[in-house]
Amino acid sequence: MHFEDVIKGRRSIRRYRDKDIPRSLVGEILDLAKHTPSSGNLQNWKVIVVKDSEMRQQLAQASMEQYWMVEAPIHLVICNDYDKVKDHYPVLGKMYSIQNCAAFAYNITLSAHTFGLGSCWIGAFDNEKVQRLLSIPDNIDPEIIITLGYSEDSKSPQLRDEVKYITYQEKWGAKFKVPKSELEQIESGIKKEVSKFKKKLKTIKKRK
Ligand SMILES: Cc1cc2nc3c(=O)[nH]c(=O)nc-3n(C[C@H](O)[C@H](O)[C@H](O)COP(=O)(O)O)c2cc1C
C-alpha cells in the first residue's frame, strides 16, 4: 500500500464485521508498529490483547459506555511502563512516556490499516476501572485502548484544516505560504488570460 493511502485511508472505525482476527495477524500488526521511535529508545509500552467478549463488554462500559466497542473482536490496551523512563528522564519522563505510547498507538492504527483491519483510538475511559479489570499493576498506566476488527464501514478521508491555517513561518503568528501546485499555477494563469481577454473585448465593443 502506498504511504499516502495508509495515512489518508486510516479512519476511526466504529462498526465491525463479526469475523475473528487470527492471532498471527495481531502479531504482525504489532511487529510492524514496534518500530515506533521512543525517547532513548526505551519502548515503555506493553500491550494487552483482549479477545474475551465479556471483558470487551466491561471495557466498553469503563470507556464511558461506548458499547459499540464490543463489536470489535479485539481490544488492544496500550499500557505505559513509566518506570522504564523516569530514571533516564527525571524531569520530562512522564511526558515522554505518554508521547511514546501515543506514537506507538498511532502506528498500530496505521499498521492495522495496512493489514486490512479497521481500528479506533479510545482515550475516554476510567483508568482505575481498566486497571482493576485487567489486573494491571499500580505502577503501570493503561494509556490508550485500540479497537480492532474488519471494518463494516467504508469511509473517505476525513476533512482536515489546510496547512496554511496550522503552520507559521519562523515565529508564532507569521504566515506560512504554501507554494501553489503546478495545476493551481496553470489554473490561475488561465484565469488571468481570460480576464485580460474580457477587458480587451469590452474596449473593442465600446469603440464600436
Ligand atoms: C487522544 C484521542 C482520544 C480519542 N478518544 C476517542 C474515544 O474515546 N472514542 C472514540 O470513538 N474516538 C476517539 N478518538 C478518535 C477520534 O474521534 C478521531 O480520531 C477523530 O474524530 C478523527 O477521525 P479519524 O480518526 O476518522 O480521522 C480519539 C482520538 C484520539 C487521538
Side-chain angles (χ1 to χ4, degrees):
M1 198 182 276
H2 193 280
F3 186 62
E4 191 178 332
D5 297 329
V6 178
I7 297 271
K8 288 186 176 171
R10 180 222 56 84
R11 291 294 315 276
S12 291
I13 298 302
R14 299 181 182 88
R15 290 175 59 230
Y16 295 94
R17 278 158 59 194
D18 184 15
K19 184 179 171 188
D20 261 0
I21 304 172
R23 193 180 287 205
S24 58
L25 185 52
V26 177
E28 279 184 283
I29 288 167
L30 296 175
D31 200 44
L32 184 56
K34 77 180 184 193
H35 293 280
T36 300
S38 57
S39 53
N41 197 22
L42 289 168
Q43 305 163 64
N44 56 296
W45 44 68
K46 293 277 186 287
V47 184
I48 304 176
V49 181
V50 179
K51 199 175 170 213
D52 180 77
S53 64
E54 177 55 31
M55 185 55 84
R56 281 186 282 123
Q57 179 79 25
Q58 294 191 58
L59 286 174
Q61 201 256 327
S63 303
M64 315 301 158
E65 304 192 345
Q66 299 187 68
Y67 288 115
W68 60 265
M69 288 170 63
V70 185
E71 257 191 38
I74 281 183
H75 292 176
L76 300 175
V77 181
I78 314 301
C79 299
N80 179 357
D81 185 357
Y82 170 50
D83 288 348
K84 257 187 146 179
V85 183
K86 72 176 178 199
D87 292 340
H88 289 76
Y89 302 103
V91 180
L92 297 171
K94 189 71 194 178
M95 182 181 72
Y96 285 171
S97 71
I98 296 169
Q99 289 182 356
N100 295 342
C101 287
F104 180 55
Y106 179 51
N107 273 346
I108 290 175
T109 67
L110 294 180
S111 175
H113 182 64
T114 308
F115 283 100
L117 292 184
S119 67
C120 187
W121 176 312
I122 306 296
F125 60 86
D126 181 327
N127 286 44
E128 283 175 19
K129 265 191 198 164
V130 171
Q131 204 149 16
R132 246 181 288 121
L133 284 170
L134 300 171
S135 312
I136 298 171
D138 287 347
N139 60 323
I140 305 284
D141 288 325
E143 211 67 71
I144 296 145
I145 300 175
I146 296 174
T147 55
L148 202 62
Y150 292 94
S151 176
E152 187 73 271
D153 267 339
S154 65
K155 290 181 164 182
S156 44
Q158 174 86 300
L159 284 179
R160 294 291 196 255
D161 293 338
E162 283 182 45
V163 170
K164 64 181 174 188
Y165 297 127
I166 59 167
T167 314
Y168 298 133
Q169 179 77 48
E170 313 302 343
K171 61 175 183 179
W172 184 267
K175 264 194 179 168
F176 174 79
K177 283 192 182 141
V178 188
K180 281 185 179 165
S181 71
E182 210 176 321
L183 189 67
E184 284 170 331
Q185 283 177 34
I186 293 169
E187 263 178 10
S188 72
I190 291 172
K191 276 181 189 164
K192 269 183 196 163
E193 288 307 314
V194 169
S195 83
K196 268 189 207 168
F197 179 73
K198 278 182 179 170
K199 270 183 193 167
K200 265 188 188 170
L201 209 64
K202 259 188 187 175
T203 49
I204 292 168
K205 276 182 182 170
K206 272 183 189 170
R207 273 188 219 148
K208 278 188 175 178

